[in-house]
Amino acid sequence: MDTVLHVALGADLLGVFFFAVSGSLLAARKGFDLVGSLLLASLASLGGGVARDLILNVPPAAFTNPVYLVPPLLATVLVYFVFSRVERGMRVLVVFDAGGLALFCITGTLKALDAGLHPVSAALLGVTTAVGGGLLRDVVANEVPQLFDPRDIYALPAMLGSVVVTVLYLTGTFTLVTGTVAASLVFSLRVLAWRYGWHAPL
Amino acid sequence: MDTVLHVALGADLLGVFFFAVSGSLLAARKGFDLVGSLLLASLASLGGGVARDLILNVPPAAFTNPVYLVPPLLATVLVYFVFSRVERGMRVLVVFDAGGLALFCITGTLKALDAGLHPVSAALLGVTTAVGGGLLRDVVANEVPQLFDPRDIYALPAMLGSVVVTVLYLTGTFTLVTGTVAASLVFSLRVLAWRYGWHAPL
Amino acid sequence: MDTVLHVALGADLLGVFFFAVSGSLLAARKGFDLVGSLLLASLASLGGGVARDLILNVPPAAFTNPVYLVPPLLATVLVYFVFSRVERGMRVLVVFDAGGLALFCITGTLKALDAGLHPVSAALLGVTTAVGGGLLRDVVANEVPQLFDPRDIYALPAMLGSVVVTVLYLTGTFTLVTGTVAASLVFSLRVLAWRYGWHAPL
């Protein structure tokens, strides 16, 4: 049981880190200073989870466990001092954002199922968690949200991932292995869609 | 009693449907794809109610009762496959938005009064519910919010409706008939203000 | 004890008033009408506190105590009828915004500490409360948020204030005097940074 909780916390923190990097990268593109970078990283990485926890009526993890502040701090420093000018381009941002998307649709859906939500509602909350932070990031930075860009697909992989996780959970086949496969699927789908300009046929 | 609850749920779902259509219509105007349309419809139609329920500290209806997902799905399909290019103009959007506004200021105020809020607070929450979804829709789609457009009036009818419902409730004269009259008043005021460019004198 | 509560409520309401004036001033600059001014004042002044209370899982003060509606009403009337065209410039807006920032980082942090949050989380929530309302105000009015302007510093004084208050609280040295000094520090730092174009070195 303890192991399960550790893995869940680890996956959540990794997702937080991925979204935090996407926030710091966007801050760099917009010319924000170091504090602005930290704030946008925090909003992008913690916003979706806070919304999820408020809806589930549990204390928001970001405000009860200070360890959640480490990923945004780390991401800010990394992007500022380590990433070169080239690496601050759109390509790296999309990859990190996709990593956060993949992990959050899974951890969000699981947390909702564990809280006893109806499977349909749990999948909805998983998608909300996954797309929420990135949406806040883009709106606050005055960008057209990636979420609504008709030139590629963004929400569809997260929807697919949330449904897959719900089915795995209900059939008792959710394990570290199947969960990792689901996350990889969401991640690959999102990155490939962006790379090759796949878009919804409608 | 059961009938009362059914009518309340029906009115709420109808309001959700109206706002969902306004979201899908805005998505069509902005060139979003079908998934983007569904997402904007969901945000516009469910956002205000989720805010209301979080403030009342009750589980958000959109995440406990999957039937709330039907209106956004229906609206997305309707706008995509049924509404012609002409009908996707601003006029239809404003009419549906006004329908949502009228119903939400009433259902929101009632839910707040039932939860025991102070009458003034209940009217405030009714207005918040009514204007919240449309505000989220416009901000996320990077539009100037209709709410703040000085060329016509938007919030005033909702404020009036919330106050009227509060008075009806406190005097024990809120019925299906008086409620419908109040909703029609809000709807007519909003649509007439838009049509004839009425605006606040100050 | 009663005195403490009265002082806390007074400080909170004063912060609400300062942010409400900043909202009404921004509304005047954007050409909103009187209702739009009231709405933007309410969002700017009550938004941060509602977020704080939702995260703390207590009923949002703005929706339980109608006295919280007085400052936005007062600010709207003041800005409309009293402030001259000159006084509606950016300078006055920044000064009132700084007043709200200074008071909210202190009242927000204290409320979080009183609710038993981890000191680090309490400071984070103080900053969130302080910058939240202004961020909502700017995003909804389609302005580049002051929070992210790299030409001066905005969040840093609030962070400093929240940390100082946390230390004062934990060491048992938080009093009306030390609290006032902390608030004056945050206010002066923010206003001076804006006036002299101080900005983060990184």
Side-chain angles (χ1 to χ4, degrees):
Chain A
M1 193 59 194
D2 241 24
T3 319
V4 170
L5 286 179
H6 277 114
V7 170
L9 180 64
D12 209 28
L13 285 173
L14 194 62
V16 169
F17 176 71
F18 288 158
F19 270 127
V21 171
S22 81
S24 285
L25 286 169
L26 184 59
R29 287 168 58 89
K30 308 284 284 190
F32 294 175
D33 61 21
L34 204 53
V35 174
S37 177
L38 176 62
L39 290 169
L40 197 59
S42 305
L43 191 72
S45 60
L46 304 176
V50 169
R52 175 200 63 205
D53 293 346
L54 289 178
I55 288 170
L56 290 175
N57 204 19
V58 299
F63 287 95
T64 47
N65 191 347
V67 77
Y68 274 87
L69 300 186
V70 174
L73 280 167
L74 203 65
T76 304
V77 171
L78 259 179
V79 169
Y80 202 87
F81 294 104
V82 180
F83 280 29
S84 71
R85 208 154 289 277
V86 175
E87 287 163 333
R88 292 189 200 164
M90 204 60 199
R91 195 169 50 84
V92 181
L93 198 164
V94 168
V95 169
F96 274 94
D97 180 90
L101 192 78
L103 286 169
F104 271 21
C105 75
I106 291 182
T107 57
T109 306
L110 281 182
K111 200 164 179 177
L113 287 165
D114 276 336
L117 253 66
H118 188 285
V120 172
S121 305
L124 177 67
L125 193 54
V127 175
T128 304
T129 310
V131 307
L135 182 61
L136 282 174
R137 176 196 64 209
D138 295 344
V139 166
V140 156
N142 218 8
E143 293 276 292
V144 176
Q146 282 190 43
L147 182 56
F148 292 120
D149 192 333
R151 285 168 305 174
D152 70 312
I153 62 174
Y154 186 94
L156 223 46
M159 290 176 176
L160 185 70
S162 295
V163 170
V164 166
V165 167
T166 306
V167 171
L168 290 174
Y169 184 93
L170 294 178
T171 56
T173 50
F174 184 86
T175 62
L176 186 56
V177 173
T178 57
T180 307
V181 169
S184 310
L185 192 77
V186 174
F187 177 79
S188 312
L189 220 61
R190 168 65 190 131
V191 172
L192 289 174
W194 180 77
R195 176 67 185 77
Y196 294 105
W198 293 347
H199 46 77
L202 297 167
Chain B
M1 192 61 194
D2 242 24
T3 319
V4 170
L5 286 179
H6 278 115
V7 171
L9 180 63
D12 209 29
L13 285 173
L14 194 60
V16 169
F17 176 71
F18 289 158
F19 270 127
V21 172
S22 82
S24 284
L25 286 169
L26 183 58
R29 287 169 58 88
K30 307 284 285 191
F32 294 175
D33 61 22
L34 205 53
V35 175
S37 177
L38 176 61
L39 290 169
L40 197 60
S42 305
L43 191 71
S45 61
L46 305 176
V50 169
R52 175 198 64 205
D53 293 345
L54 289 179
I55 288 169
L56 291 174
N57 204 17
V58 299
F63 287 97
T64 48
N65 190 348
V67 78
Y68 274 88
L69 300 186
V70 175
L73 280 167
L74 203 64
T76 305
V77 171
L78 261 178
V79 169
Y80 202 89
F81 295 104
V82 180
F83 281 28
S84 71
R85 210 153 288 275
V86 175
E87 287 164 332
R88 292 189 200 164
M90 204 57 200
R91 196 170 49 82
V92 182
L93 197 164
V94 168
V95 170
F96 274 94
D97 180 89
L101 192 77
L103 286 169
F104 271 22
C105 73
I106 292 181
T107 57
T109 306
L110 281 181
K111 198 162 182 179
L113 288 164
D114 276 335
L117 252 65
H118 187 286
V120 173
S121 304
L124 176 66
L125 193 54
V127 176
T128 304
T129 310
V131 307
L135 182 60
L136 281 175
R137 175 196 65 209
D138 296 344
V139 166
V140 155
N142 218 7
E143 292 275 292
V144 178
Q146 282 190 44
L147 181 57
F148 293 120
D149 193 333
R151 285 166 307 174
D152 71 311
I153 63 173
Y154 185 93
L156 223 47
M159 289 176 178
L160 186 70
S162 294
V163 169
V164 166
V165 167
T166 304
V167 171
L168 290 174
Y169 184 94
L170 294 178
T171 56
T173 51
F174 184 86
T175 63
L176 186 55
V177 173
T178 57
T180 307
V181 169
S184 310
L185 191 78
V186 175
F187 176 79
S188 312
L189 219 62
R190 167 66 190 132
V191 171
L192 289 173
W194 180 78
R195 176 69 185 77
Y196 295 105
W198 293 348
H199 47 78
L202 296 167
Chain C
M1 192 60 195
D2 242 23
T3 318
V4 171
L5 285 179
H6 278 113
V7 171
L9 181 63
D12 208 29
L13 285 173
L14 194 61
V16 169
F17 176 70
F18 288 158
F19 270 126
V21 171
S22 80
S24 284
L25 285 169
L26 184 59
R29 287 168 57 88
K30 307 284 287 191
F32 295 175
D33 61 22
L34 205 53
V35 175
S37 177
L38 176 62
L39 290 170
L40 197 59
S42 305
L43 191 71
S45 61
L46 305 176
V50 169
R52 174 199 64 204
D53 293 345
L54 289 179
I55 288 170
L56 290 176
N57 204 19
V58 300
F63 287 96
T64 48
N65 190 348
V67 78
Y68 274 88
L69 301 186
V70 174
L73 281 166
L74 202 66
T76 304
V77 171
L78 260 179
V79 169
Y80 202 88
F81 295 103
V82 180
F83 280 28
S84 72
R85 209 154 289 277
V86 175
E87 287 164 334
R88 293 191 199 163
M90 204 57 200
R91 196 169 50 83
V92 182
L93 197 165
V94 168
V95 170
F96 275 93
D97 179 89
L101 191 77
L103 286 168
F104 271 21
C105 73
I106 292 181
T107 57
T109 306
L110 281 181
K111 198 163 181 179
L113 287 165
D114 276 336
L117 253 64
H118 188 285
V120 173
S121 304
L124 176 67
L125 193 54
V127 176
T128 303
T129 310
V131 306
L135 183 61
L136 282 173
R137 177 196 65 208
D138 295 345
V139 165
V140 155
N142 217 8
E143 292 275 292
V144 177
Q146 282 190 44
L147 182 57
F148 292 120
D149 193 332
R151 284 166 308 173
D152 70 311
I153 63 173
Y154 185 94
L156 222 46
M159 289 175 178
L160 185 71
S162 295
V163 170
V164 166
V165 168
T166 305
V167 171
L168 291 172
Y169 185 92
L170 294 179
T171 56
T173 52
F174 184 88
T175 63
L176 187 54
V177 174
T178 57
T180 307
V181 170
S184 310
L185 191 78
V186 174
F187 176 79
S188 312
L189 219 62
R190 167 68 190 129
V191 172
L192 289 173
W194 180 77
R195 176 68 186 75
Y196 294 106
W198 293 348
H199 47 77
L202 297 168

